[in-house]
Amino acid sequence: MASAVGGGRRSVRRHLDLLVAASLLVLLVVGAAGIVATVRTHNSVHYLTGHVEPAADANAAALQDLTDAETYLWSWGISGSRSSLAQYRSSMGLFRTDMARLEKLAGIDPQVKLLVADFSRAADNWYDAYVSERLDQLAQLHAEAMVAA
């Protein structure tokens, strides 16, 4: 009978050893997965803040420059003020500077490159369809007004 009781203790000890070993293995696997996930998250955040965010900032600045240029063009069309025309030209100069910076940053990622190309095409279309025609019309109207005065 003593041997049966002793054999039972060994099997309980064996089960406990297996349970502790399995728990330790699960703990190690979960810990390793947590470390890998943390490193990957850090790398993703670093990539976004170091590479993509500057491109987003440059894009916002270029868009603001276009908005300012449109506002100054409208102002010049309404008032004929030379300062509005100068501010329009200044805004377009800033836009070209910001676009050059944005195009440099576009090389960091293929998706960013596609978005920059789309934005550049849209800006070119806006200029061709609206600004160049508007500038010609307004210049002609202001020239005629100067001659009449």
Side-chain angles (χ1 to χ4, degrees):
M1 187 104 150
S3 69
V5 172
R9 283 188 187 151
R10 276 191 233 135
S11 85
V12 169
R13 180 180 292 161
R14 187 172 178 197
H15 286 305
L16 285 175
D17 288 344
L18 286 173
L19 183 63
V20 168
S23 296
L24 183 59
L25 180 64
V26 167
L27 181 66
L28 290 173
V29 168
V30 168
I35 290 170
V36 168
T38 301
V39 168
R40 290 192 61 157
T41 300
H42 174 269
N43 290 343
S44 295
V45 169
H46 177 69
Y47 177 76
L48 288 172
T49 58
H51 300 311
V52 176
E53 188 175 0
D57 292 343
N59 184 66
L63 186 58
Q64 185 61 52
D65 295 336
L66 282 180
T67 303
D68 292 345
E70 183 177 21
T71 300
Y72 295 132
L73 187 61
W74 271 99
S75 174
W76 179 61
I78 293 169
S79 68
S81 166
R82 289 184 183 194
S83 68
S84 294
L85 184 59
Q87 288 174 318
Y88 160 77
R89 290 182 177 142
S90 173
S91 293
M92 289 305 293
L94 290 172
F95 170 73
R96 288 182 197 97
T97 302
D98 288 333
M99 278 305 294
R101 186 173 135 226
L102 187 58
E103 287 169 358
K104 273 186 199 172
L105 292 169
I108 61 168
D109 186 90
Q111 288 297 108
V112 173
K113 190 173 188 172
L114 289 173
L115 293 171
V116 169
D118 285 347
F119 179 68
S120 182
R121 249 189 324 275
D124 289 344
N125 288 341
W126 170 76
Y127 189 85
D128 292 342
Y130 175 74
V131 175
S132 62
E133 182 179 321
R134 184 91 173 143
L135 279 174
D136 292 343
Q137 290 172 350
L138 292 173
Q140 184 178 7
L141 285 174
H142 289 295
E144 289 171 2
M146 295 298 272
V147 170

